[in-house]
Amino acid sequence: MQSFQPPRRILMGPGPSDVPPRVLQALARPTVGHLDPAFQDLMEEIKTALQRLFNAPDHACVPLPAPGTAGMEAAIMNLLEPGDRAVIAVNGAFGGRMADMAGRAGAEVVTVDHAWGEPVDPARIEAALAEAPTKVLAFVHAETSTGARSDAATLCGLARRHGALSAVDTVTSLGGIPVDVAAWDADVVYSGTQKCLSAPPGLSPIALSKRAQAAISGRKEKVRNWLCDFNLLMSYWGGEGGRTYHHTAPVNALYGLHEALVILFEEGQQAAIVRHARMHEALAAGLAAAGLEFLVDEAHRLPQLNAVVVPEGIDEAAVRAHVLAKWDLELGAGLGPLKGKVWRIGLMGASATPWHVRLCLTALCEALAAQGRPVDATAVLAAADARLAG
């Protein structure tokens, strides 16, 4: 057995994104104990930084010791008990996963199904909420499988109006488009570190409102997920009267998250959002010049996750294989009903730069030409550059 040496890839799929050298260096700092006083100080800084990142000053914010799916499971399992009614918006793979988890929690699950690529329709959600008392409304803000953005403020407002708690997936949105938990009046909002934050996969920042905390502490039954039981977890992260051992925290991963947050705040959250939007506009201009189309209408399109329709007669897997072999560039495939029909191009965090946009367009033009679809790469890059210069 020998040391593993990973290939150097350019990560422009649906996640993870490229990790900055400063974050990689932070990961290599000396490990300390998870109850070390210096590490406890770091934990407090991370909690405060997450409140700032989510704009959730009145929420409890912690990073769960597992990827974004753990945030989803924590939200669902902590809020729902057997027999509770849950309305789940499904407009892609991850809304479907929420519904599966809610069923495993023993809830009465009502799904509001949408075509993949469409945003969640508030009118249909309100109709479902009006049918019967509902404990939880759950939806995906930025659907990673399609690149569609839904109106979180309106949907959370509907939950409030109908006496339901809101659970919001911001795995792909946090750091790339506005996430404003206080303005939304959202209850449980979770994310992941490997998308627009450009830290390695493995942690899930989560924010819980006082309403959510009261609902969890007042449960009739124990939470069915022990590791992510918020009542137990906060005995370690809460810190009142000294921290109680709950799990061995991923110390070095938390170093990486902390450094990623330092980098983001140095740039400025609004500046990062503008950067993601500009890179998307440049990519979109180049794709249009190449004759390629998006799955999602412009009004609901995510800048950081671009679902591009595969032209007729093109082998989408061969294109991805070509750019990986020739350019060390990772692009994403479609999921579920979109398998073989779209490429998912990520412009997330450190992967949202002019260099990434130009390289991706150049590699795509070459891969399409290799399949007999010639594209004027010079015109494609000129279209992107014109937007970058604007």
Side-chain angles (χ1 to χ4, degrees):
M1 190 173 185
Q2 298 180 336
S3 298
F4 176 64
Q5 297 297 329
R8 294 187 66 86
R9 302 294 196 202
I10 301 156
L11 301 178
M12 295 188 68
S17 59
D18 284 348
V19 178
R22 279 176 57 181
V23 175
L24 294 175
Q25 291 164 6
L27 293 166
R29 291 171 185 158
T31 304
V32 298
H34 61 283
L35 294 174
D36 188 289
F39 184 68
Q40 292 184 35
D41 290 342
L42 180 74
M43 291 169 65
E44 291 303 307
E45 283 196 22
I46 290 173
K47 286 163 58 178
T48 300
L50 291 179
Q51 287 179 316
R52 176 181 172 187
L53 179 63
F54 280 115
N55 190 31
D58 295 326
H59 286 57
C61 296
V62 299
L64 300 176
T69 301
M72 179 186 291
E73 189 151 47
I76 297 297
M77 293 298 177
N78 275 270
L79 294 180
L80 289 172
E81 296 191 69
D84 286 341
R85 186 175 191 262
V87 172
I88 315 289
V90 179
N91 65 329
F94 296 95
R97 189 174 292 183
M98 280 180 157
D100 188 351
M101 290 181 182
R104 292 170 187 241
E108 174 196 341
V109 181
V110 177
T111 61
V112 182
D113 297 307
H114 300 68
W116 284 38
E118 296 292 326
V120 175
D121 181 353
R124 296 183 60 206
I125 294 299
E126 182 158 34
L129 290 170
E131 289 175 356
T134 301
K135 177 72 173 294
V136 171
L137 167 64
F139 64 91
V140 179
H141 180 219
E143 178 53 72
T144 315
S145 62
T146 68
R149 177 197 328 213
S150 294
D151 184 348
T154 296
L155 294 169
C156 289
L158 291 174
R160 291 276 63 72
R161 189 182 310 161
H162 290 273
L165 297 167
S166 53
V168 189
D169 182 311
T170 65
V171 169
T172 295
S173 48
L174 189 65
I177 57 175
V179 171
D180 195 335
V181 171
W184 298 348
D185 197 16
D187 289 302
V188 180
V189 182
Y190 62 87
S191 189
T193 51
Q194 76 276 19
K195 309 273 189 174
C196 296
L197 301 184
S198 279
L203 294 171
S204 177
I206 190 168
L208 292 95
S209 71
K210 289 181 170 62
R211 283 188 302 261
Q213 294 174 58
I216 295 166
S217 63
R219 289 174 59 99
K220 299 171 186 173
E221 297 186 6
K222 290 183 178 180
V223 177
R224 293 191 175 188
N225 183 310
W226 189 93
L227 178 63
C228 294
D229 180 339
F230 197 70
N231 291 315
L232 300 176
L233 191 71
M234 288 309 293
S235 65
Y236 175 57
W237 275 95
E240 290 92 355
R243 301 184 192 277
T244 302
Y245 169 71
H246 174 258
H247 67 282
T248 302
V251 171
N252 290 63
L254 289 164
Y255 295 168
L257 171 59
H258 183 272
E259 190 66 22
L261 293 171
V262 170
I263 292 170
L264 177 59
F265 294 144
E266 285 176 352
E267 179 181 9
Q269 288 177 259
Q270 185 59 36
I273 288 168
V274 171
R275 171 170 56 85
H276 281 87
R278 287 188 64 244
M279 295 311 108
H280 165 74
E281 290 168 0
L283 179 69
L287 292 172
L292 298 175
E293 299 179 348
F294 284 87
L295 174 71
V296 179
D297 290 342
E298 184 175 359
H300 307 295
R301 196 179 295 162
L302 292 172
Q304 66 270 46
L305 196 288
N306 299 268
V308 180
V309 177
V310 177
E312 188 174 350
I314 296 295
D315 182 340
E316 74 83 17
V319 168
R320 288 186 292 107
H322 180 103
V323 300
L324 186 67
K326 301 295 185 181
W327 294 84
D328 287 321
L329 173 63
E330 178 186 282
L331 302 179
L335 298 176
L338 297 180
K339 183 177 181 181
K341 298 179 180 179
V342 300
W343 296 296
R344 289 184 296 155
I345 301 176
L347 291 171
M348 301 180 187
S351 295
T353 72
W355 182 85
H356 284 84
V357 170
R358 299 184 91 256
L359 181 138
C360 179
L361 291 170
T362 302
L364 270 177
C365 289
E366 182 184 280
L368 290 169
Q371 290 197 41
R373 184 186 171 96
V375 180
D376 185 345
T378 300
V380 167
L381 290 176
D385 286 343
R387 296 307 296 264
L388 289 169

